[in-house]
Amino acid sequence: MNTLYTHWTLKELKKRFVIDFPQMVQAAKEAVSAEEFKQKIRELFPHDTVLRLINYDGQTITDFSTGKDVHIQTIVLLFDFLRNTVHPDKNTDLFTDLYFIFRNARNNVHHKPVTETKVMQWAKQWVSGLNSDIQQLREANKQRIISKLIQRLGRRLSVNTPYYLPQFRSFEEKQKLVNEWWNNHRFHLHMAIKNPDELNFYLDKTLSEETMRVLHDAKKKNIPFFITPYYASLLDTTGNSYDDKALRSYILYSRELVDTFGEIKAWEKEDEVEAGKANAAGWILPEGHNIHRRYPEVAILIPDSAGRACGGLCASCQRMYDFQSQRLNFNLKELYPKESWPIKLKKLMAYFEEDRQLRDILITGGDALMSRNATLRNIFDAVYKMALQKKKANENRPEGDKFAEIQRIRLGTRLPVYLPMRVDEELISILKEFREKASGIGITQLIVQTHYQTPLEMTKESREAINRIISAGWIVTNQLVYNVASSRRGHTVALRKTLINNGVAPYYTFAVKGFHENYAVYAPISRLMQERAEEKIYGTLNEEGQEEFVKILRNNIPYTKEVNNFLQREKYPFIATDRSVLNLPGIGKSMTFRLTGVTDEGKRIFCFDHDTTRRHSPVIKDIGKIYITENKSILAYLKQLEEMGEDVRAYESVWEYTEGMTEPKFKLYEYPELPFHVTEKINHVKNPTP
């Protein structure tokens, strides 16, 4: 009976229920029906979570992400378990979850804070790529990969390439030349690793047979494969120098992803666009797939350029659906803008100019910085002209009928992580030039939104890229995808600390999309809530602290030194400027939910509400309750952590988190007040206001 809960058998679980909940077990034996058993449970456990499970038991809900009906029978399954002999092959996930739910209900457990000392102890085990020992190892990795690049380049016979090594040169001369090329981002794109055998070659053939099998199957199914030599150099091939699981989880595909590819559906249903018809969020968009939209104030712009590619395909990419359809791909030469692009760009800008509520444009892809500098300059010029014309048109509109004006431009990119060499002097000049012009017409929030997943990704090259962006007058923020490897105790705290020390403000911590293809990397929502309540809390700023911090970012170019002075002066171990959320299909980000059931596989079923702190499309009023079924049980997740070497006893309070409330927006991410009243009318939407 002393077995750790991750290894309980059904027989042991039954004994635990008998010992800890004798009245419940007796009620199950005496009840003539499940309904009678439920009534007794109501009396024994008058706890909100338990009462919700009872009230939902027997209902059929429709899962909002899959569209499938789910019949909830949490308490019925418990009734059968306590009365009958359950087949030994049945998994223990459901009953382990229920055991903890009832134990917490009986003890009236409230979330107990973990001490700051303990949290920072957890964080210290996760070193950054700026650590001197890590830098030495990475330099050795780089030189090993350069030697292999020389082998590969040596097989080239044609001189019609900028990267040709004449045979007569010595190895030392070739090594010197490739070391120079290493600092050019085009070299890394040109030499990107595009198949599993190549990756294994660069990693000294250290990938396991099973990993290679999965990757070869991925290649057969045409899952894109694209890894820069730089990013490959961040991995530890020895297996014992540093924990690089978070790195590997981004570039090594899972069996579930491979098996599902080809049948992947768009999690964010609003990304499914049909000309002339409203998307799932109610917005009518221009023909094509250049604009994605969910909220009145925000639109995503995906250009017809190399911005439809990335510096690598992340295994948990939220746009895997678009890679599957090949709207996003890695055929870089074919992605260069066609003659039709300037005409289309003009139409897209007209859509933005005519929109009454839009004030925030996120240029992304793919990856915004995969576009060439000339393409980015053209996009910035078009955005500037559109914003200026919108501002001038407002001069002739009466108060109350004026349109919202563009106040925020963001670039979505992971290249400071995948390929920091991309942030070159010309790009910085373009960013600086746009900031100077844009700020004169009210576009005062200029943000590069990147995706660091682990402190190991903050290297000296990456830090230099961030410093350059900040020097151009742009603020850098980060979106973390909270997968299994990054969800280990203290990891996100260490990442936040590393980021903020180097000028990057955390923006969102995203729950992984819950489709089956993400099973291997999915961390349950309850763990995200646990991290927020027990770890992130020590970096939370009060109202006054937020205001001071925002002033530092907006009034200093560069601002990194002042941020670190603020940290030291106020004695914050790190700053948590991010909101922890799930991207709900069609209606946006939220973490307002309640547990309504648990499937027979132990997967929790949550009822979500939309984020009431922000504006939504008018269709929100027609959307009823939003149910999401997780793709993994808490027990399965904890077993994964155990396999990674984690002490799962440190995670035991995860079972307590059965409901949540969306956090308030951090002040940095609020729009400035406009000096006039914007019209309340909405256009470009299904059934617009006249």
Side-chain angles (χ1 to χ4, degrees):
M1 291 292 288
N2 293 322
T3 313
L4 194 60
Y5 56 85
T6 47
H7 300 280
W8 288 348
T9 64
L10 283 172
K11 188 175 180 180
E12 286 174 316
L13 264 170
K14 195 78 163 280
K15 286 182 180 178
R16 289 180 186 278
F17 273 94
V18 169
I19 293 169
D20 291 345
F21 311 116
Q23 290 177 296
M24 179 198 294
V25 175
Q26 188 64 29
K29 290 179 180 178
E30 293 176 354
V32 296
S33 68
E35 291 306 314
E36 186 178 325
F37 175 66
K38 291 178 194 177
Q39 184 54 42
K40 188 63 177 176
I41 295 300
R42 285 181 192 276
E43 298 167 8
L44 292 171
F45 298 91
H47 186 276
D48 286 349
T49 301
V50 173
L51 294 177
R52 249 191 339 268
L53 292 178
I54 294 171
N55 291 338
Y56 271 94
D57 203 77
Q59 292 189 33
T60 298
I61 56 94
T62 300
D63 186 290
F64 200 66
S65 61
T66 64
K68 294 180 180 179
D69 288 342
V70 179
H71 185 62
I72 300 176
Q73 48 182 355
T74 315
I75 306 301
V76 167
L77 289 168
L78 176 63
F79 179 57
D80 290 342
F81 172 66
L82 296 178
R83 283 168 60 92
N84 305 310
T85 302
V86 180
H87 194 282
D89 290 340
K90 184 169 179 57
N91 68 50
T92 61
D93 302 44
L94 164 63
F95 303 115
T96 305
D97 199 338
L98 289 177
Y99 171 82
F100 281 104
I101 286 173
F102 280 101
R103 192 185 75 172
N104 293 333
R106 180 196 63 192
N107 298 341
N108 198 23
V109 169
H110 296 285
H111 314 314
K112 296 177 182 177
V114 180
T115 65
E116 181 181 336
T117 301
K118 186 63 177 177
V119 169
M120 298 316 294
Q121 281 177 352
W122 284 331
K124 281 179 183 176
Q125 65 184 313
W126 308 112
V127 294
S128 87
L130 297 173
N131 175 281
S132 58
D133 292 337
I134 301 292
Q135 287 190 48
Q136 287 182 18
L137 291 164
R138 295 281 182 66
E139 181 60 29
N141 289 347
K142 171 184 168 181
Q143 295 308 321
R144 185 195 72 248
I145 289 175
I146 283 176
S147 296
K148 293 179 181 296
L149 285 167
I150 291 170
Q151 292 180 46
R152 183 177 163 193
L153 290 165
R155 294 193 288 270
R156 293 186 170 185
L157 301 177
S158 172
V159 296
N160 295 323
T161 170
Y163 309 112
Y164 172 70
L165 292 175
Q167 296 296 322
F168 61 81
R169 293 200 177 189
S170 67
F171 177 81
E172 288 73 20
E173 289 175 313
K174 293 176 182 178
Q175 189 179 43
K176 182 180 178 182
L177 190 55
V178 177
N179 265 288
E180 292 173 3
W181 289 342
W182 185 272
N183 297 319
N184 187 323
H185 74 276
R186 291 188 179 87
F187 174 72
H188 288 272
L189 295 176
H190 188 79
M191 302 302 293
I193 301 162
K194 296 180 181 177
N195 67 67
D197 292 324
E198 216 177 325
L199 178 62
N200 206 21
F201 169 68
Y202 286 116
L203 296 180
D204 271 353
K205 298 187 177 180
T206 55
L207 295 177
S208 69
E209 289 183 12
E210 176 56 26
T211 297
M212 291 301 294
R213 253 193 309 273
V214 172
L215 294 181
H216 277 298
D217 288 346
K219 193 67 179 173
K220 288 174 188 173
K221 292 196 77 172
N222 294 318
I223 300 180
F225 207 82
F226 197 92
I227 302 163
T228 62
Y230 165 80
Y231 199 78
S233 76
L234 304 189
L235 273 61
D236 172 36
T237 56
T238 68
N240 55 25
S241 296
Y242 51 91
D243 188 325
D244 65 357
K245 293 183 183 69
L247 298 169
R248 290 174 182 261
S249 66
Y250 249 49
I251 62 173
L252 300 180
Y253 306 147
S254 68
R255 173 54 62 190
E256 290 82 7
L257 172 59
V258 174
D259 290 346
T260 311
F261 196 83
E263 300 172 5
I264 292 173
K265 303 291 190 296
W267 173 272
E268 294 174 320
K269 299 182 188 304
E270 66 276 14
D271 289 354
E272 296 177 342
V273 178
E274 192 174 341
K277 293 186 179 180
N279 69 3
W283 298 102
I284 297 172
L285 304 171
E287 187 176 350
H289 293 268
N290 297 100
I291 295 178
H292 293 217
R293 194 168 184 188
R294 181 186 299 134
Y295 303 113
E297 290 94 351
V298 186
I300 291 173
L301 174 64
I302 301 177
D304 288 343
S305 69
R308 287 187 173 268
C310 296
L313 179 57
C314 307
S316 56
C317 178
Q318 69 173 4
R319 299 204 185 279
M320 193 65 76
Y321 170 75
D322 289 302
F323 277 106
Q324 178 182 268
S325 66
Q326 297 187 348
R327 279 192 291 273
L328 303 180
N329 60 72
F330 293 90
N331 301 318
L332 300 184
K333 290 183 180 178
E334 295 176 16
L335 287 175
Y336 294 151
K338 307 293 190 295
E339 290 181 10
S340 59
W341 169 238
I343 298 170
K344 187 185 281 191
L345 180 60
K346 192 174 181 180
K347 290 180 180 178
L348 299 175
M349 292 302 112
Y351 176 88
F352 291 155
E353 185 180 341
E354 294 161 7
D355 195 272
R356 294 168 175 167
Q357 302 298 328
L358 187 69
R359 60 174 78 191
D360 183 352
I361 299 172
L362 169 58
I363 303 167
T364 181
D367 191 302
L369 294 188
M370 285 294 288
S371 291
R372 289 186 165 190
N373 286 333
T375 303
L376 277 173
R377 191 188 295 275
N378 290 337
I379 293 171
F380 281 150
D381 286 345
V383 168
Y384 175 79
K385 289 174 184 175
M386 174 273 297
L388 179 60
Q389 288 168 197
K390 196 168 191 177
K391 190 177 183 69
K392 286 183 176 178
N394 259 349
E395 295 174 2
N396 299 317
R397 295 186 181 113
E399 186 73 13
D401 283 341
K402 295 180 186 294
F403 290 10
E405 296 174 1
I406 306 300
Q407 297 175 297
R408 180 186 295 166
I409 298 296
R410 292 178 285 159
L411 299 177
T413 179
R414 189 164 150 80
L415 290 197
V417 177
Y418 272 147
L419 191 55
M421 302 81 172
R422 168 64 183 98
V423 185
D424 55 23
E425 291 298 334
E426 185 183 5
L427 173 62
I428 296 309
S429 176
I430 291 169
L431 293 178
K432 192 177 293 185
E433 176 189 313
F434 180 72
R435 177 186 62 80
E436 290 170 354
K437 288 199 311 182
S439 60
I441 60 169
I443 305 175
T444 57
Q445 296 187 352
L446 298 163
I447 299 170
V448 170
Q449 203 165 277
T450 190
H451 300 275
Y452 286 90
Q453 190 69 11
T454 167
L456 286 169
E457 291 176 329
M458 182 61 77
T459 63
K460 62 182 189 298
E461 296 91 346
S462 188
R463 179 175 60 185
E464 176 59 26
I466 297 301
N467 287 341
R468 288 182 168 190
I469 293 168
I470 292 171
S471 73
W474 289 59
I475 291 173
V476 184
T477 67
N478 191 68
Q479 297 188 144
L480 164 67
V481 177
Y482 197 66
N483 67 14
V484 174
S486 66
S487 73
R488 290 173 288 177
R489 281 292 201 184
H491 189 277
T492 306
V493 167
L495 176 60
R496 290 189 190 99
K497 182 171 173 54
T498 299
L499 292 175
I500 209 70
N501 287 160
N502 291 282
V504 182
Y507 182 28
Y508 279 118
T509 298
F510 279 118
V512 174
K513 307 296 188 298
F515 279 159
H516 181 66
E517 63 264 21
N518 288 331
Y519 180 85
V521 295
Y522 182 81
I525 290 165
S526 299
R527 170 61 188 131
L528 189 55
M529 290 299 297
Q530 181 190 42
E531 200 279 340
R532 168 179 144 182
E534 299 178 11
E535 298 166 58
K536 184 167 77 171
I537 188 172
Y538 293 109
T540 304
L541 301 187
N542 59 25
E543 193 91 358
E544 186 179 330
Q546 286 193 38
E547 289 177 359
E548 185 177 354
F549 179 71
V550 171
K551 283 180 183 176
I552 289 170
L553 293 187
R554 291 184 175 156
N555 297 337
N556 293 278
I557 301 176
Y559 55 70
T560 307
K561 182 179 178 181
E562 283 74 13
V563 165
N564 281 292
N565 288 340
F566 172 78
L567 278 167
Q568 291 174 12
R569 185 174 68 249
E570 300 299 326
K571 295 182 171 55
Y572 282 106
F574 59 96
I575 301 180
T577 58
D578 52 314
R579 288 211 287 179
S580 303
V581 293
L582 172 67
N583 246 334
L584 295 171
I587 65 168
K589 305 167 185 70
S590 177
M591 197 48 77
T592 301
F593 68 89
R594 291 189 172 193
L595 178 68
T596 59
V598 187
T599 72
D600 62 349
E601 295 175 302
K603 300 173 183 178
R604 289 187 167 189
I605 305 167
F606 294 115
C607 180
F608 273 85
D609 192 5
H610 62 278
D611 177 8
T612 57
T613 68
R614 69 182 304 167
R615 296 178 66 210
H616 290 266
S617 158
V619 301
I620 201 76
K621 66 182 184 299
D622 300 322
I623 296 175
K625 293 183 177 179
I626 302 148
Y627 295 95
I628 299 288
T629 306
E630 295 195 280
N631 74 8
K632 180 186 292 175
S633 69
I634 290 179
L635 185 63
Y637 163 73
L638 292 172
K639 287 179 177 179
Q640 278 185 283
L641 293 182
E642 202 169 41
E643 289 172 4
M644 289 181 170
E646 290 291 289
D647 181 354
V648 295
R649 289 171 295 187
Y651 297 81
E652 190 167 314
S653 64
V654 70
W655 308 94
E656 300 169 18
Y657 294 88
T658 58
E659 57 185 80
M661 184 65 68
T662 307
E663 297 159 280
K665 189 183 293 184
F666 193 86
K667 285 188 178 296
L668 176 63
Y669 308 114
E670 293 176 350
Y671 297 115
E673 288 288 331
L674 285 165
F676 53 80
H677 293 294
V678 176
T679 176
E680 293 183 3
K681 298 174 183 177
I682 300 178
N683 59 338
H684 292 149
V685 73
K686 182 180 180 182
N687 302 321
T689 52

